[in-house]
């Protein structure tokens, strides 16, 4: 089993292609292709942290540059050889590359230490070349063409060209007027320019009367286009000047190449930094598509997946409007092999492949779609036996292929190996196949191998039921009443095949089913019946225990809440009393002083009326000042509260950055060297010139100029895919970010178990998407618990423009554990 074979069986080859499709540069695409499965925990941690930090950057940092990523190596590496000069298009690409590096350097220099530490450490080594940028800007104008003043010689040559062209234009107009006066040309005729030649349209019958060369004629044959002899000499002079212009351009580019030589090693490093950033950004964008997070590297060797989702299956289900059922999978040193049984099409293989794919993604350095409390160990190898590898060329049958896989596993598997075996032991006579499978399982168990195995064999279920084994049973839940799978894994009990029930549901005659039950024997039927009874009892017991836990948790939370409130009230009461006492003492003290002063003034003035009135007025002023002080304090408190509310509103406005980020990136001005697609017909090409609102781009050997709003930026992967196939007419354009959100959007969000702030962030992004996609209503599952999560979520929803209502679900559908959001 080669690494690529394992990737294909688990579906990681598709994940690689999705990430490669997000790359802007060939460098990043090659990095996706060449990145390998890793067994070094430190390297895995580094890869995960870089991707997770980039995910956060794309979500929250609007200033981060997401466009302008150009492949620098293809045009920089040839310059290291003798005799190679940079061309004009590559010079434009170099300007785009150095400008993007400058923006990245400026962004990371502005980030505080401790925020995105791994990305900032990577960017700290990136070289930036302000002198090169200055020299390029002195040579190129905004359209990517050489400036007239790039050299004095070039300025003289272009001035001469313009003078000759003006002379030709005047001369051609003069010849046309003369031809019209002599009746050789129509009165409304105009000078025609074809292939750079000035041609006079004359009547074909008299074309010989105008000295010159006939270059073309009209479709009707009535008009001939003549290049006058008088103009040919001027055109030859212009051709000679254009040759001198090309020679001077080559000299300027050669001179710049010589200047560039000492910088080439560091420029190549800069190109690698840009490509590496593009590679990490492609991984982060794919992680955002998968709604993935960074798991924990297990320290004790255990495997614990929480709310794990198969990313590829989830995309397919969303396209069909269906929901993915998350799975919880746990393996420890004591119970290191999970044996899953249950009905066909019940989700056994999906659970196995989800475990394998997420473990492979984790060790490749990719974020995985699980809860971030998931823990994964680092294995030396993942070994897979999935599907039918039968081959006529190798003379392998289905069972022979299975035995070949088992032989390889038994040769290599140890306690640092994860094995994934689907339909263990099938493909041969059941008794012999079951015995061989049990012997292999026993050997894998003794070695401490980790594994997820699916089977229908009863003897393997009985083996896993033993208390002295490292194997644990797992069952895919099944609704016995509806005869339908629930696609939910339940560990600790073996699964039931429900073969006879399925046969009845599919409409087999009852007599046939009864006969089959009799042939299977009472012991087998009894075992199946007992398994169903045990599962029912286990489920009922679990539900009761869950209710008891919830009740205890709610009571504890309520008790704690009331105790805290009582404590806070007591403390607040004491604070208020203390503060009132201090204020009263201050007022009495101040008032006492004022009264004493008033009495003293009256006595000193011997109770003269004027002095008495003045003293009284001063006392009244003191009391008014006290009232004014209280009013100012109240106004200060109001201003403080208003400032806090304004800060909260601004914080809410800063959320939901991902949609704005994508729109900003797509609306950014196009640059030379970027890949684009013509919206009207789907043609793809590369930008060669940007002039105001017009953009020139090359398709193969053809060049075209259109308005900028007729083009859309695409990734390197999209460019390659479109270049391989024929150009097809595309449907009406739709924003790719909206397309992606429509594909991935679910009408139900589950935030149970999340921290309050994390839950509010998820709800905020989710509601933004729902409003953008014009959803009539959505459901948010937050559970009942203490009610805090429900209260805060509904409080936030009532502040969101576009939300018509946010109310509890019907009691039969979840009651206060679910909030139904309806939009205007």
């Amino acid at each position: 089993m080669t690494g690529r074979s394992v990737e294909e069986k688990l579906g990681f080859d598709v994940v690689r292609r999705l990430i490669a499709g997000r790359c802007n540069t060939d460098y990043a695409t090659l990095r996706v292709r060449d990145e390998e499965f890793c067994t070094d925990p430190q390297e895995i941690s580094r890869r995960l942290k870089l991707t997770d930090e980039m995910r956060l950057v794309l979500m929250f940092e609007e200033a981060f540059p997401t466009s302008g990523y150009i492949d620098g190596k293809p045009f920089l590496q040839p310059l290291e050889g003798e005799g190679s000069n940079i061309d004009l298009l590559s010079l434009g690409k170099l300007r785009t590359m150095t400008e993007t590096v400058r923006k990245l350097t400026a962004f990371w220099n502005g980030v505080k230490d401790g925020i995105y530490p791994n990305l900032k450490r990577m960017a700290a080594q990136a070289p930036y070349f302000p002198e090169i940028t200055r020299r390029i800007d002195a040579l190129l104008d905004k359209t990517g063409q050489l400036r007239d003043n790039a050299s004095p010689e070039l300025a003289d040559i272009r001035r001469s060209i313009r003078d000759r062209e003006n002379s030709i234009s005047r001369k051609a107009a003069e010849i046309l007027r003369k031809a019209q006066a002599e009746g050789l040309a129509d009165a409304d005729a105009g000078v025609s320019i074809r292939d750079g030649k000035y041609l006079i349209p004359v009547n074909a019958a008299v074309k010989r009367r105008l000295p010159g060369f006939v270059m073309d004629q009209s479709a009707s044959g009535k008009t001939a286009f003549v290049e006058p002899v008088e103009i040919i000499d001027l055109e030859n002079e212009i051709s000679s000047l254009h040759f001198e212009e090309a020679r001077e351009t080559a000299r300027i580019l050669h001179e710049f190449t010589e200047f560039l030589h000492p910088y080439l090693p560091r420029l190549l490093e800069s190109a690698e930094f840009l490509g590496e950033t593009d590679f990490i950004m492609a991984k982060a964008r794919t992680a955002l598509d998968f709604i993935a997070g960074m798991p924990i590297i297990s320290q004790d060797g255990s495997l614990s997946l929480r709310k794990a989702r198969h990313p590829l299956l989830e995309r397919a289900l969303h396209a069909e409007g269906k929901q993915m059922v998350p799975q919880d999978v746990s393996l420890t040193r004591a119970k290191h092999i999970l044996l899953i049984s249950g009905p066909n099409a019940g989700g056994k293989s999906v659970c196995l492949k989800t475990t394998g794919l997420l473990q492979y993604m984790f060790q490749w350095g990719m974020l995985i779609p699980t809860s971030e409390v998931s823990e994964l160990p680092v294995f030396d190898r993942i070994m897979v036996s999935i599907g039918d590898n039968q081959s006529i060329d190798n003379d392998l049958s289905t069972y022979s292929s299975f035995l070949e896989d088992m032989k390889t596993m038994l040769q290599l598997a140890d306690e640092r190996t994860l094995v994934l075996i689907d339909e263990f032991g099938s493909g041969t006579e059941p008794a012999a196949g079951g015995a061989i499978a049990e012997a292999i399982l026993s050997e894998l168990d003794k070695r401490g191998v980790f594994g997820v195995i699916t089977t229908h064999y009863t003897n393997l279920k009985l083996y896993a039921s033993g208390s002295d084994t490292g194997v644990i049973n797992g069952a895919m839940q099944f609704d016995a009443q509806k005869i339908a799978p629930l696609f939910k894994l339940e560990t600790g009990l073996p699964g039931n095949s429900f073969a006879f029930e399925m046969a009845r549901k599919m409409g087999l005659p009852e007599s046939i089913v009864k006969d089959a039950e009799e042939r299977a024997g009472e012991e087998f039927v009894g075992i199946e019946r007992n398994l169903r009874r045990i599962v029912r009892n286990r489920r009922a017991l679990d539900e009761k225990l869950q209710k008891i836990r919830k009740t205890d948790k709610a009571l504890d939370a309520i008790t704690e809440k009331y105790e805290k409130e009582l404590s806070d009230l007591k403390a607040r009461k004491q604070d208020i009393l203390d503060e009132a006492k201090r204020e009263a003492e201050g007022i009495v003290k101040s008032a006492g002083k004022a009264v004493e002063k008033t009495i003293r003034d009256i006595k000193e003035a011997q109770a003269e009326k004027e002095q008495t009135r003045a003293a009284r007025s001063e006392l009244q002023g003191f009391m008014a000042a006290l009232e004014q002080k209280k009013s100012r304090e109240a106004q200060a408190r109001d201003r403080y509260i208003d400032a806090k509310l304004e800060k909260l509103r601004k914080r809410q406005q800063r959320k939901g950055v991902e949609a704005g980020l994508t729109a900003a990136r797509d609306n950014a001005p196009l640059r030379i060297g970027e890949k684009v697609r013509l919206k009207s017909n789907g043609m793809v090409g590369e930008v060669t010139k940007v002039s105001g609102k017009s953009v020139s781009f090359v398709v193969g050997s053809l060049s075209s100029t259109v308005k900028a709003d007729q083009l859309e930026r695409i990734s390197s992967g999209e460019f390659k895919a479109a270049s391989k196939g024929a150009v097809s007419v595309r449907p009406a354009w739709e924003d790719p970010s909206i397309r992606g959100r429509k594909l991935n959007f679910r009408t139900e969000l589950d935030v149970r178990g999340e921290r309050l702030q994390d839950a509010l962030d998820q709800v905020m992004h989710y509601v933004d998407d729902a409003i953008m996609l014009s959803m009539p209503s959505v459901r948010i599952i937050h559970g009942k618990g203490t009610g805090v999560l429900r209260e805060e979520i509904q409080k936030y929803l009532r502040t969101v423009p576009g939300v018509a209502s946010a109310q509890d679900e019907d009691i039969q559908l979840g009651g206060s554990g679910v909030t139904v959001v309806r939009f205007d």
Side-chain angles (χ1 to χ4, degrees), residues 183-186 201-210 214 216-218 220-226:
L184 304 180
D186 295 336
V202 298
N203 296 327
V206 294
K207 60 186 177 182
R208 299 298 179 189
R209 292 176 57 186
L210 181 66
V214 177
D216 198 0
Q217 64 180 9
S218 64
S220 64
K222 294 181 179 180
T223 303
F225 294 90
V226 179

Side-chain angles (χ1 to χ4, degrees), residues 206-320:
V206 294
K207 60 186 177 182
R208 299 298 179 189
R209 292 176 57 186
L210 181 66
F213 298 94
V214 177
M215 305 301 296
D216 198 0
Q217 64 180 9
S218 64
S220 64
K222 294 181 179 180
T223 303
F225 294 90
V226 179
E227 182 182 16
V229 173
E230 300 171 60
I231 290 177
I232 293 177
D233 289 341
L234 289 173
E235 287 180 341
N236 288 338
E237 288 182 27
I238 289 177
S239 297
S240 177
L241 287 170
H242 277 306
F243 177 74
E244 289 183 27
E245 180 187 26
R247 191 164 55 187
E248 178 60 17
T249 298
R251 188 195 67 77
I252 293 170
L253 293 176
H254 173 73
E255 185 179 275
F256 180 81
T257 304
E258 291 298 314
F259 156 76
L260 208 61
H261 266 135
Y263 296 97
L264 283 176
R266 296 285 284 165
L267 277 171
L268 288 169
E269 290 178 20
S270 188
E272 285 187 8
F273 163 70
L274 210 60
E276 195 69 21
T277 302
D278 184 30
F279 167 59
I280 297 170
M281 195 160 57
K283 289 170 64 180
R285 283 175 172 159
T286 307
L288 287 171
D289 291 343
F290 289 165
I291 316 177
M294 185 173 74
I296 301 167
I297 297 180
S298 175
Q299 299 300 316
D300 59 3
S302 61
L303 182 152
S304 176
L305 288 172
R306 294 287 177 264
K307 296 183 180 180
R309 310 181 317 276
H310 194 292
L312 305 180
L313 177 60
E314 188 172 36
R315 286 166 62 92
L317 289 175
H318 281 171
E320 299 173 6

Side-chain angles (χ1 to χ4, degrees), residues 670-691:
L670 292 170
R671 301 183 179 191
I672 295 172
E674 289 189 321
K675 308 296 189 299
V676 293
R677 175 165 49 216
L678 192 60
K679 295 176 183 177
S680 60
N681 60 16
M683 284 197 307
V684 299
E686 181 175 329
V687 175
T688 59
K689 181 179 179 182
V690 180
S691 177

Side-chain angles (χ1 to χ4, degrees), residues 585-630:
E585 289 175 351
I587 292 171
V588 170
K589 189 174 180 180
S590 299
K593 289 180 179 179
V595 170
E596 289 174 2
K597 182 177 182 298
T598 302
I599 292 171
R600 188 168 58 252
D601 291 344
I602 291 172
K603 286 180 178 179
E604 290 175 354
Q606 296 179 351
E608 291 182 6
K609 291 183 179 180
E610 289 299 326
Q611 292 292 340
T612 302
R613 277 196 294 270
R616 285 176 179 170
S617 176
E618 184 177 351
L619 181 59
Q620 289 171 356
F622 172 77
M623 300 303 294
L626 283 177
E627 291 296 326
Q628 189 176 2
K629 178 183 178 184
K630 290 181 180 178

Side-chain angles (χ1 to χ4, degrees), residues 17 47-48 73 112 215 217 234 286 304-305 324 342 415 417 430 446 448 481 483 516-517 559 577 596 647 653 705 797:
R17 288 198 295 273
R47 295 180 186 180
L48 291 173
K73 281 193 168 184
K112 294 181 180 178
M215 305 301 296
Q217 64 180 9
L234 289 173
T286 307
S304 176
L305 288 172
M324 179 79 187
E415 71 278 1
T417 301
K446 291 175 185 176
Q481 294 181 343
I483 315 297
E517 288 179 334
T559 303
L577 288 173
E596 289 174 2
K647 187 179 288 185
Q653 290 172 1
T705 301
L797 290 170

Side-chain angles (χ1 to χ4, degrees), residues 649-663:
R649 280 194 291 270
K650 288 182 178 179
R651 186 178 298 168
Q652 288 174 352
Q653 290 172 1
R654 286 198 298 268
K655 303 296 183 180
V657 181
E658 182 185 358
L661 171 67
T662 304

Side-chain angles (χ1 to χ4, degrees), residues 383-415:
M383 307 188 76
V384 179
S385 179
I386 298 175
D388 187 357
N389 290 331
Q390 63 176 316
S391 169
I392 296 176
D393 295 336
N394 298 329
D395 195 24
L396 286 177
S397 66
T398 300
Y399 192 65
S400 298
S401 172
F402 164 76
L403 292 178
E404 187 69 28
D405 288 343
M406 294 305 102
K407 183 181 78 172
T408 305
M409 285 185 183
L410 291 172
Q411 288 173 348
L412 301 175
D414 56 21
E415 71 278 1

